[in-house]
Structures are given as structure tokens and as C-alpha cells.
Amino acid sequence: MAKSSWEDIAATAQELRDASISRIDPPVPDVPRKLANNVTNIPKQLLTPDEILITETLPEDLLSSLASGKITSTAVVNAFLRRAGLAQKLTNCITELLPEEALSRAKYLDDYYHEHGSPIGPLHGLPISVKEHIGMKGKGLNAGFVSWWDHKGEEDAHVLRILWRAGCVFYVRTTQPQTLMHLETSNNLYGVTVNPFNRDLTSGGSSGGEGALLGLRGSCLGIGSDIGGSVRSPAANCGLYGFRPTSYRVPKRGWSSTMLGEEQIVAVTGPLSTSLEGIKLFMRTIIAAKPWLVEPSCLPLPWKNAELEQSIARGKKLKIAVLWSDDVVRPHPPILRALKEVVQKLENVTTIEVTDWSPFNHDEAWEIIASLYFPDGAQEEINAIDASGEPWRPLSKFIIQENPHVKHLSVEEVWYWTSRREEYRCKYAEHWNQTATSTGPEGEPADMVDVILAPVGPGAAPPLDSAKYWGYTSQWNLLDYPALVFPVSKVDPEVDKVEDGYNPMNEKDAFNYRLCKLTFLVTALRYLYANGCEDEPEVYRDAPISLQLIGRRYEDEKVIEALDYIKAQIGTPFYDLYLRSSSF
């Protein structure tokens, strides 16, 4: 039998996806042929009032209504299936809907509630979206490679089994890039996933399908993975909350990816949500299940609650250090504006102390992590791409073929770079320790910086195929620090002006500056030639601006508590996310 071409396989993949959408009842509405750049309001024009209310409700409020019987799981799942179908038509973010399985599960949960008068678990009836390479038994598991199209999940991933037992409903699977190693989402099976706030921009990656879907409120809680920013980039680009936990706190058994046994840079499973409470729900549910009993690599660390709040109540200030720049690539004006706005508000909070964070050799960090990403010289990625004859996507070329640090390492060279990693981690820990203002009973440093406030990237969501600087996220992967993204503001071209006359620090910085300057030039030229076009095309307009909080290794709870406290004090985000509390 003749081998199928990569184009035929891609056509089959898209036909199966489209067929899954066609099985939604009532049918998913068609979207306008001509779309504005910002498509976030289109679902409100096409869905019913009840569907809009359900899908724009925070996950914690949905759970409250489900647990009290005010709304059924079937109603919630139907609403999210239809909105997810719309999200696909607007941003190209899903690989398949699961209507039959999801509605069968919802009916089971509704029947259980009717019989017992109580929910089955803490996530009773809540729809959760899943990045494609996190395995589902019997479902495709291609990880973005055309040649892996026929791979199937042998079992549900461990993390999915935990969430299932807690009562959730899986209803949609989302896109990822070729190789899983892009900060964008582009593959030859499904094409490019775009940003719902501005379709000229990327939704981020590698969990960019999740980002676009949640950005359009086709999901309120989703599961991604992160080895260099793959949860945080989509969360930032799409105005969401996204958490990269410390390694081995959340299970990862059941994934599909290359180099599964590699331990030099450990990828993690992490949540994206429309609310901070959604992040908490995910983490508490997973840790409460004691995943270490099934997956021994997971650390037996129970979830700790309210320690930071108790510390503040005793008179200790929350100490926040601000990373204005990593001294490799300077952030664009919108990012610096967001940092300034947050810092100005924080400085007025008497229980918070703000200081500056001095970056410690962040250029060296990239050299180390980039040398450890592909210790086989990326041979497994190369083989997986070339096996089908599919073309190399631009950012696959960038991270592998154009990356000078990608080399086939000998065992001794792996040891060398791993030792460099450990030495750098020790030096960075000492750098953090130097922020101490007192010592503990054993002479250990005390009263140090609690968390770092930093950019998630050098700019807001970048134009397609241009997300080439990883340093603001991969830095914390190398150190294995927990990092939590949160929305702050959005780009305003009338306020966020390019810095004329800036002298870049290096070629990476120059690329980033040219990207910013070119973007504003293109914006101006398009405006001049628009001839009164009502949709003024501006490259970054409406793009969310997000920041991240970073904590020390295994201080995951502190990072989440710190953001919770910050939000309560200064009221982030500073723009309307169009979320509401339920009124069922």
C-alpha cells in the first residue's frame, strides 16, 4: 500500500476535527466571513443568553452552582461545547471536540446528583480542556508531528485520571506546535492558532490551543505543559492565569513527546484558567490525590495553606522584587508600563515592600538550558518531522536548525552541562539569599525577598513566527522555580510608543527592538493607506499585557498566595476581562 502523503494525513486530521464539531446539537453557528482582528465579542452575538452566562462565569462560581443543584452538568457541558466550536472557527485552536463522551459523562454526573443529593467530588460537572499530547485512552496522540498521527493513547494520563475522579468532564482537545518547542502554536496537521484578541498575533505556545480557547471563554480551566514557557506564554498572550509548578508536584505520566526519559530539563504539567481560583482548584485537587503513590517521581508534599497570610498578620511584610529587564533583551513599552502601574500601586500598600531585582547572568542561563534541551542533537525531532516529509515550520527551524547550542552530546558532555546547571542554580540561590535582612536561629538567611515580579516575555503577544526570545520564561525552567502569570492591562497604541533612539545591548535585543519599531511603522503605513477603513489594523492593539510572579523552588503555595494578596490590595487586572459571578 502506498504511503499517505503528509498533506493527505493533515486533510484527514482536519476532516475528523470538523466532523466532531458538526455533531454538536444545536449546530455551532457560522462566523462572519470577514473577521475583525479582535474576535472576543463574536460569541456573544451568536450564542444564547444562557450559554453566554455559563461560559463567562468563573470556574469557582460554576462549581458552586453545580454543587448546589442550581444548574446541571449537561447544561454547562453543552454551553462549553458550542463555545469551543466557535473558538475553533475564530482561532483554529482545537484538534477535536468530544461531544458524545462529554454529554454521557455529564448525564452520569447529573444522575448521581439526583440520586445522592450531593456532588461526586470537588470538580463535579466542570468541563476541562486538555492539550492534545496529554494522553487519552484510544485517542490520537501526535504531539504535533504528522508522522505520529496514528499514535494512540494506551491509557488516560495520570493527571486526567485524578481530575476525572474529582468529577470533571473532558470535552475538547487543543492544538500544539510541531516539536512542542515553540512559544507559538503552528503545525502541519492543523495550521496556525491565532490570538483571539488580535488575530495578527500568536496565541503563544506550546499550549497555544489552550490559550486561544480560554481567551475566547470556550473553556474556563485547561491543562497544558511547560518546558520553556509553554503554559505561561499562552496565558500571558491571551489574558489568562497560568501556572508553572515546581517539577514533580503534578504528574506527567501518559504524555506523548520526544525524549521522554530526558531529565536534564524537566517539563511540567500546569493549569491555565480564567481565574486565579481555577489555578488553586487544580493544584489542590491534584495534590490532595497524593499522586506520588502512583507516580513515584512525584514528591510527597501536601498542599500548604495560608502560611503567607498568617505571616503578614504577624506583622511581616510581603517583599516583592521587580525585574525590570533581564539585561539581555529590554521589554517593549507596554510591558514596562504594566510593571510601573503595578509597582506604583504596590508601593502604596503598607504591608508590602517593593525593591528592585538585579538579574544574575541570565545570558548564561540560556546557554545552559539551550544546550540541555536537545542532548541527542534533536535527532528524535528531526526523525519525527522528516518521516512524513512534512515541511519544517519556521520556529522549528529556529529552535533546532538555527540554534548554535543544539549538538549531539556525549555522556561526559551531558554531565558537564548538568554540572553547569547545578552550579548556576547554587549561584542564583545565593543571589536570592543576599536579599536577607536578618538571620535565623541557625544562622540561615531570613527576611528575604518573597517573590519576583517580572515580564513574561519581551513584549505582548508577538506577530506570527517571531516569538524567538525565551529568556523571560526559560530562566525559571532552568532554575525550576514556580511561576504564575496574571493579566494586568492591554496594549494601547496611543499610549505605548516605541522608544526612538534606543541602542540595543546585543543582537537578540536588536531583533526585539526592530520587531517593536517595525510593528509601529507597519501600523502607521496601514493607517495611511486604510482609506477610512472602519477596522483600523494596528498590530498590537487589544493584546493583553501580563506579568508573572516567581518564587523559590517548591514554594508554589507562596507564589499563589502572594498573587491572591496582591490582587486583593491593588485590584488587578486593570481592564475588563468580561467575567462575571454567576446568577443562576
Side-chain angles (χ1 to χ4, degrees), residues 237-254:
N237 290 1
C238 298
L240 305 166
Y241 296 86
F243 187 49
R244 182 228 179 257
T246 311
S247 63
Y248 302 118
R249 294 211 73 180
V250 179
K252 51 183 285 189
R253 184 179 178 184

mmCIF file with all atom_site columns, all heavy atoms in Angstrom, residues 237-254:
data_model
loop_
_atom_site.group_PDB
_atom_site.id
_atom_site.type_symbol
_atom_site.label_atom_id
_atom_site.label_alt_id
_atom_site.label_comp_id
_atom_site.label_asym_id
_atom_site.label_entity_id
_atom_site.label_seq_id
_atom_site.pdbx_PDB_ins_code
_atom_site.Cartn_x
_atom_site.Cartn_y
_atom_site.Cartn_z
_atom_site.occupancy
_atom_site.B_iso_or_equiv
_atom_site.pdbx_formal_charge
_atom_site.auth_seq_id
_atom_site.auth_comp_id
_atom_site.auth_asym_id
_atom_site.auth_atom_id
_atom_site.pdbx_PDB_model_num
ATOM 1   N N   . ASN A 1 237 ? -0.313 35.826 26.635 1.00 0.00 ? 237 ASN A N   1
ATOM 2   C CA  . ASN A 1 237 ? -0.771 36.364 25.358 1.00 0.00 ? 237 ASN A CA  1
ATOM 3   C C   . ASN A 1 237 ? -2.290 36.491 25.278 1.00 0.00 ? 237 ASN A C   1
ATOM 4   O O   . ASN A 1 237 ? -2.806 37.318 24.527 1.00 0.00 ? 237 ASN A O   1
ATOM 5   C CB  . ASN A 1 237 ? -0.293 35.468 24.216 1.00 0.00 ? 237 ASN A CB  1
ATOM 6   C CG  . ASN A 1 237 ? 1.203  35.545 23.984 1.00 0.00 ? 237 ASN A CG  1
ATOM 7   O OD1 . ASN A 1 237 ? 1.917  36.253 24.687 1.00 0.00 ? 237 ASN A OD1 1
ATOM 8   N ND2 . ASN A 1 237 ? 1.691  34.796 23.020 1.00 0.00 ? 237 ASN A ND2 1
ATOM 9   N N   . CYS A 1 238 ? -2.987 35.656 26.062 1.00 0.00 ? 238 CYS A N   1
ATOM 10  C CA  . CYS A 1 238 ? -4.450 35.614 25.962 1.00 0.00 ? 238 CYS A CA  1
ATOM 11  C C   . CYS A 1 238 ? -5.152 36.101 27.221 1.00 0.00 ? 238 CYS A C   1
ATOM 12  O O   . CYS A 1 238 ? -6.357 35.854 27.406 1.00 0.00 ? 238 CYS A O   1
ATOM 13  C CB  . CYS A 1 238 ? -4.899 34.192 25.605 1.00 0.00 ? 238 CYS A CB  1
ATOM 14  S SG  . CYS A 1 238 ? -4.261 33.628 24.007 1.00 0.00 ? 238 CYS A SG  1
ATOM 15  N N   . GLY A 1 239 ? -4.430 36.799 28.116 1.00 0.00 ? 239 GLY A N   1
ATOM 16  C CA  . GLY A 1 239 ? -5.070 37.436 29.262 1.00 0.00 ? 239 GLY A CA  1
ATOM 17  C C   . GLY A 1 239 ? -5.600 36.474 30.304 1.00 0.00 ? 239 GLY A C   1
ATOM 18  O O   . GLY A 1 239 ? -6.667 36.699 30.868 1.00 0.00 ? 239 GLY A O   1
ATOM 19  N N   . LEU A 1 240 ? -4.830 35.414 30.602 1.00 0.00 ? 240 LEU A N   1
ATOM 20  C CA  . LEU A 1 240 ? -5.283 34.353 31.496 1.00 0.00 ? 240 LEU A CA  1
ATOM 21  C C   . LEU A 1 240 ? -4.352 34.205 32.694 1.00 0.00 ? 240 LEU A C   1
ATOM 22  O O   . LEU A 1 240 ? -3.297 34.835 32.771 1.00 0.00 ? 240 LEU A O   1
ATOM 23  C CB  . LEU A 1 240 ? -5.325 33.022 30.732 1.00 0.00 ? 240 LEU A CB  1
ATOM 24  C CG  . LEU A 1 240 ? -6.144 33.011 29.455 1.00 0.00 ? 240 LEU A CG  1
ATOM 25  C CD1 . LEU A 1 240 ? -5.824 31.779 28.624 1.00 0.00 ? 240 LEU A CD1 1
ATOM 26  C CD2 . LEU A 1 240 ? -7.636 33.081 29.771 1.00 0.00 ? 240 LEU A CD2 1
ATOM 27  N N   . TYR A 1 241 ? -4.742 33.327 33.590 1.00 0.00 ? 241 TYR A N   1
ATOM 28  C CA  . TYR A 1 241 ? -3.861 32.891 34.668 1.00 0.00 ? 241 TYR A CA  1
ATOM 29  C C   . TYR A 1 241 ? -3.236 31.564 34.244 1.00 0.00 ? 241 TYR A C   1
ATOM 30  O O   . TYR A 1 241 ? -3.933 30.677 33.729 1.00 0.00 ? 241 TYR A O   1
ATOM 31  C CB  . TYR A 1 241 ? -4.647 32.709 35.969 1.00 0.00 ? 241 TYR A CB  1
ATOM 32  C CG  . TYR A 1 241 ? -5.235 34.008 36.476 1.00 0.00 ? 241 TYR A CG  1
ATOM 33  C CD1 . TYR A 1 241 ? -6.478 34.444 36.012 1.00 0.00 ? 241 TYR A CD1 1
ATOM 34  C CD2 . TYR A 1 241 ? -4.530 34.813 37.368 1.00 0.00 ? 241 TYR A CD2 1
ATOM 35  C CE1 . TYR A 1 241 ? -7.012 35.651 36.437 1.00 0.00 ? 241 TYR A CE1 1
ATOM 36  C CE2 . TYR A 1 241 ? -5.065 36.023 37.799 1.00 0.00 ? 241 TYR A CE2 1
ATOM 37  C CZ  . TYR A 1 241 ? -6.302 36.435 37.332 1.00 0.00 ? 241 TYR A CZ  1
ATOM 38  O OH  . TYR A 1 241 ? -6.818 37.632 37.751 1.00 0.00 ? 241 TYR A OH  1
ATOM 39  N N   . GLY A 1 242 ? -1.938 31.441 34.407 1.00 0.00 ? 242 GLY A N   1
ATOM 40  C CA  . GLY A 1 242 ? -1.249 30.211 34.035 1.00 0.00 ? 242 GLY A CA  1
ATOM 41  C C   . GLY A 1 242 ? -0.133 29.931 35.015 1.00 0.00 ? 242 GLY A C   1
ATOM 42  O O   . GLY A 1 242 ? 0.621  30.840 35.383 1.00 0.00 ? 242 GLY A O   1
ATOM 43  N N   . PHE A 1 243 ? -0.008 28.673 35.423 1.00 0.00 ? 243 PHE A N   1
ATOM 44  C CA  . PHE A 1 243 ? 0.937  28.325 36.487 1.00 0.00 ? 243 PHE A CA  1
ATOM 45  C C   . PHE A 1 243 ? 1.905  27.244 36.034 1.00 0.00 ? 243 PHE A C   1
ATOM 46  O O   . PHE A 1 243 ? 1.480  26.182 35.551 1.00 0.00 ? 243 PHE A O   1
ATOM 47  C CB  . PHE A 1 243 ? 0.174  27.849 37.714 1.00 0.00 ? 243 PHE A CB  1
ATOM 48  C CG  . PHE A 1 243 ? 1.036  27.614 38.929 1.00 0.00 ? 243 PHE A CG  1
ATOM 49  C CD1 . PHE A 1 243 ? 1.947  28.575 39.358 1.00 0.00 ? 243 PHE A CD1 1
ATOM 50  C CD2 . PHE A 1 243 ? 0.939  26.432 39.652 1.00 0.00 ? 243 PHE A CD2 1
ATOM 51  C CE1 . PHE A 1 243 ? 2.742  28.361 40.477 1.00 0.00 ? 243 PHE A CE1 1
ATOM 52  C CE2 . PHE A 1 243 ? 1.715  26.207 40.776 1.00 0.00 ? 243 PHE A CE2 1
ATOM 53  C CZ  . PHE A 1 243 ? 2.629  27.182 41.187 1.00 0.00 ? 243 PHE A CZ  1
ATOM 54  N N   . ARG A 1 244 ? 3.179  27.550 36.185 1.00 0.00 ? 244 ARG A N   1
ATOM 55  C CA  . ARG A 1 244 ? 4.229  26.550 36.027 1.00 0.00 ? 244 ARG A CA  1
ATOM 56  C C   . ARG A 1 244 ? 4.666  26.107 37.423 1.00 0.00 ? 244 ARG A C   1
ATOM 57  O O   . ARG A 1 244 ? 5.381  26.818 38.127 1.00 0.00 ? 244 ARG A O   1
ATOM 58  C CB  . ARG A 1 244 ? 5.436  27.124 35.299 1.00 0.00 ? 244 ARG A CB  1
ATOM 59  C CG  . ARG A 1 244 ? 6.541  26.088 35.079 1.00 0.00 ? 244 ARG A CG  1
ATOM 60  C CD  . ARG A 1 244 ? 7.926  26.563 35.467 1.00 0.00 ? 244 ARG A CD  1
ATOM 61  N NE  . ARG A 1 244 ? 8.901  25.494 35.253 1.00 0.00 ? 244 ARG A NE  1
ATOM 62  C CZ  . ARG A 1 244 ? 9.422  24.738 36.212 1.00 0.00 ? 244 ARG A CZ  1
ATOM 63  N NH1 . ARG A 1 244 ? 9.072  24.910 37.477 1.00 0.00 ? 244 ARG A NH1 1
ATOM 64  N NH2 . ARG A 1 244 ? 10.274 23.779 35.938 1.00 0.00 ? 244 ARG A NH2 1
ATOM 65  N N   . PRO A 1 245 ? 4.209  24.924 37.893 1.00 0.00 ? 245 PRO A N   1
ATOM 66  C CA  . PRO A 1 245 ? 4.627  24.476 39.218 1.00 0.00 ? 245 PRO A CA  1
ATOM 67  C C   . PRO A 1 245 ? 6.071  23.990 39.212 1.00 0.00 ? 245 PRO A C   1
ATOM 68  O O   . PRO A 1 245 ? 6.660  23.766 38.148 1.00 0.00 ? 245 PRO A O   1
ATOM 69  C CB  . PRO A 1 245 ? 3.661  23.323 39.506 1.00 0.00 ? 245 PRO A CB  1
ATOM 70  C CG  . PRO A 1 245 ? 3.250  22.820 38.173 1.00 0.00 ? 245 PRO A CG  1
ATOM 71  C CD  . PRO A 1 245 ? 3.289  23.988 37.237 1.00 0.00 ? 245 PRO A CD  1
ATOM 72  N N   . THR A 1 246 ? 6.639  23.837 40.391 1.00 0.00 ? 246 THR A N   1
ATOM 73  C CA  . THR A 1 246 ? 7.939  23.200 40.502 1.00 0.00 ? 246 THR A CA  1
ATOM 74  C C   . THR A 1 246 ? 7.821  21.761 40.003 1.00 0.00 ? 246 THR A C   1
ATOM 75  O O   . THR A 1 246 ? 6.759  21.140 40.089 1.00 0.00 ? 246 THR A O   1
ATOM 76  C CB  . THR A 1 246 ? 8.417  23.201 41.967 1.00 0.00 ? 246 THR A CB  1
ATOM 77  O OG1 . THR A 1 246 ? 8.277  24.526 42.502 1.00 0.00 ? 246 THR A OG1 1
ATOM 78  C CG2 . THR A 1 246 ? 9.860  22.784 42.067 1.00 0.00 ? 246 THR A CG2 1
ATOM 79  N N   . SER A 1 247 ? 8.914  21.226 39.491 1.00 0.00 ? 247 SER A N   1
ATOM 80  C CA  . SER A 1 247 ? 8.882  19.878 38.922 1.00 0.00 ? 247 SER A CA  1
ATOM 81  C C   . SER A 1 247 ? 8.469  18.833 39.948 1.00 0.00 ? 247 SER A C   1
ATOM 82  O O   . SER A 1 247 ? 8.709  18.972 41.147 1.00 0.00 ? 247 SER A O   1
ATOM 83  C CB  . SER A 1 247 ? 10.256 19.512 38.350 1.00 0.00 ? 247 SER A CB  1
ATOM 84  O OG  . SER A 1 247 ? 11.235 19.494 39.379 1.00 0.00 ? 247 SER A OG  1
ATOM 85  N N   . TYR A 1 248 ? 7.799  17.816 39.434 1.00 0.00 ? 248 TYR A N   1
ATOM 86  C CA  . TYR A 1 248 ? 7.406  16.626 40.195 1.00 0.00 ? 248 TYR A CA  1
ATOM 87  C C   . TYR A 1 248 ? 6.361  16.899 41.278 1.00 0.00 ? 248 TYR A C   1
ATOM 88  O O   . TYR A 1 248 ? 6.225  16.122 42.206 1.00 0.00 ? 248 TYR A O   1
ATOM 89  C CB  . TYR A 1 248 ? 8.640  15.939 40.804 1.00 0.00 ? 248 TYR A CB  1
ATOM 90  C CG  . TYR A 1 248 ? 9.654  15.533 39.772 1.00 0.00 ? 248 TYR A CG  1
ATOM 91  C CD1 . TYR A 1 248 ? 10.947 16.068 39.778 1.00 0.00 ? 248 TYR A CD1 1
ATOM 92  C CD2 . TYR A 1 248 ? 9.313  14.636 38.764 1.00 0.00 ? 248 TYR A CD2 1
ATOM 93  C CE1 . TYR A 1 248 ? 11.871 15.698 38.820 1.00 0.00 ? 248 TYR A CE1 1
ATOM 94  C CE2 . TYR A 1 248 ? 10.245 14.270 37.798 1.00 0.00 ? 248 TYR A CE2 1
ATOM 95  C CZ  . TYR A 1 248 ? 11.515 14.808 37.831 1.00 0.00 ? 248 TYR A CZ  1
ATOM 96  O OH  . TYR A 1 248 ? 12.429 14.445 36.862 1.00 0.00 ? 248 TYR A OH  1
ATOM 97  N N   . ARG A 1 249 ? 5.622  17.989 41.155 1.00 0.00 ? 249 ARG A N   1
ATOM 98  C CA  . ARG A 1 249 ? 4.466  18.183 42.030 1.00 0.00 ? 249 ARG A CA  1
ATOM 99  C C   . ARG A 1 249 ? 3.186  17.728 41.336 1.00 0.00 ? 249 ARG A C   1
ATOM 100 O O   . ARG A 1 249 ? 2.261  17.261 41.999 1.00 0.00 ? 249 ARG A O   1
ATOM 101 C CB  . ARG A 1 249 ? 4.337  19.647 42.464 1.00 0.00 ? 249 ARG A CB  1
ATOM 102 C CG  . ARG A 1 249 ? 5.481  20.096 43.355 1.00 0.00 ? 249 ARG A CG  1
ATOM 103 C CD  . ARG A 1 249 ? 5.055  21.153 44.344 1.00 0.00 ? 249 ARG A CD  1
ATOM 104 N NE  . ARG A 1 249 ? 4.224  20.632 45.419 1.00 0.00 ? 249 ARG A NE  1
ATOM 105 C CZ  . ARG A 1 249 ? 3.737  21.392 46.400 1.00 0.00 ? 249 ARG A CZ  1
ATOM 106 N NH1 . ARG A 1 249 ? 4.005  22.693 46.426 1.00 0.00 ? 249 ARG A NH1 1
ATOM 107 N NH2 . ARG A 1 249 ? 2.984  20.874 47.352 1.00 0.00 ? 249 ARG A NH2 1
ATOM 108 N N   . VAL A 1 250 ? 3.127  17.881 40.032 1.00 0.00 ? 250 VAL A N   1
ATOM 109 C CA  . VAL A 1 250 ? 1.969  17.442 39.251 1.00 0.00 ? 250 VAL A CA  1
ATOM 110 C C   . VAL A 1 250 ? 2.413  16.294 38.346 1.00 0.00 ? 250 VAL A C   1
ATOM 111 O O   . VAL A 1 250 ? 3.446  16.386 37.684 1.00 0.00 ? 250 VAL A O   1
ATOM 112 C CB  . VAL A 1 250 ? 1.403  18.601 38.409 1.00 0.00 ? 250 VAL A CB  1
ATOM 113 C CG1 . VAL A 1 250 ? 0.219  18.128 37.574 1.00 0.00 ? 250 VAL A CG1 1
ATOM 114 C CG2 . VAL A 1 250 ? 0.997  19.769 39.299 1.00 0.00 ? 250 VAL A CG2 1
ATOM 115 N N   . PRO A 1 251 ? 1.661  15.197 38.291 1.00 0.00 ? 251 PRO A N   1
ATOM 116 C CA  . PRO A 1 251 ? 2.094  14.046 37.488 1.00 0.00 ? 251 PRO A CA  1
ATOM 117 C C   . PRO A 1 251 ? 2.128  14.338 35.999 1.00 0.00 ? 251 PRO A C   1
ATOM 118 O O   . PRO A 1 251 ? 1.378  15.170 35.498 1.00 0.00 ? 251 PRO A O   1
ATOM 119 C CB  . PRO A 1 251 ? 1.052  12.969 37.820 1.00 0.00 ? 251 PRO A CB  1
ATOM 120 C CG  . PRO A 1 251 ? -0.130 13.696 38.354 1.00 0.00 ? 251 PRO A CG  1
ATOM 121 C CD  . PRO A 1 251 ? 0.401  14.924 39.022 1.00 0.00 ? 251 PRO A CD  1
ATOM 122 N N   . LYS A 1 252 ? 3.003  13.628 35.289 1.00 0.00 ? 252 LYS A N   1
ATOM 123 C CA  . LYS A 1 252 ? 3.129  13.796 33.845 1.00 0.00 ? 252 LYS A CA  1
ATOM 124 C C   . LYS A 1 252 ? 3.109  12.465 33.095 1.00 0.00 ? 252 LYS A C   1
ATOM 125 O O   . LYS A 1 252 ? 3.264  12.437 31.879 1.00 0.00 ? 252 LYS A O   1
ATOM 126 C CB  . LYS A 1 252 ? 4.405  14.570 33.504 1.00 0.00 ? 252 LYS A CB  1
ATOM 127 C CG  . LYS A 1 252 ? 5.671  14.034 34.140 1.00 0.00 ? 252 LYS A CG  1
ATOM 128 C CD  . LYS A 1 252 ? 6.875  14.898 33.826 1.00 0.00 ? 252 LYS A CD  1
ATOM 129 C CE  . LYS A 1 252 ? 7.367  14.704 32.426 1.00 0.00 ? 252 LYS A CE  1
ATOM 130 N NZ  . LYS A 1 252 ? 8.660  15.366 32.165 1.00 0.00 ? 252 LYS A NZ  1
ATOM 131 N N   . ARG A 1 253 ? 2.891  11.366 33.812 1.00 0.00 ? 253 ARG A N   1
ATOM 132 C CA  . ARG A 1 253 ? 2.822  10.070 33.150 1.00 0.00 ? 253 ARG A CA  1
ATOM 133 C C   . ARG A 1 253 ? 1.643  10.049 32.186 1.00 0.00 ? 253 ARG A C   1
ATOM 134 O O   . ARG A 1 253 ? 0.540  10.457 32.521 1.00 0.00 ? 253 ARG A O   1
ATOM 135 C CB  . ARG A 1 253 ? 2.652  8.964  34.192 1.00 0.00 ? 253 ARG A CB  1
ATOM 136 C CG  . ARG A 1 253 ? 2.659  7.565  33.608 1.00 0.00 ? 253 ARG A CG  1
ATOM 137 C CD  . ARG A 1 253 ? 2.511  6.516  34.704 1.00 0.00 ? 253 ARG A CD  1
ATOM 138 N NE  . ARG A 1 253 ? 2.458  5.183  34.160 1.00 0.00 ? 253 ARG A NE  1
ATOM 139 C CZ  . ARG A 1 253 ? 2.257  4.094  34.866 1.00 0.00 ? 253 ARG A CZ  1
ATOM 140 N NH1 . ARG A 1 253 ? 2.073  4.189  36.187 1.00 0.00 ? 253 ARG A NH1 1
ATOM 141 N NH2 . ARG A 1 253 ? 2.217  2.900  34.292 1.00 0.00 ? 253 ARG A NH2 1
ATOM 142 N N   . GLY A 1 254 ? 1.905  9.533  30.960 1.00 0.00 ? 254 GLY A N   1
ATOM 143 C CA  . GLY A 1 254 ? 0.849  9.465  29.955 1.00 0.00 ? 254 GLY A CA  1
ATOM 144 C C   . GLY A 1 254 ? 0.964  10.519 28.876 1.00 0.00 ? 254 GLY A C   1
ATOM 145 O O   . GLY A 1 254 ? 0.093  10.635 28.019 1.00 0.00 ? 254 GLY A O   1
#
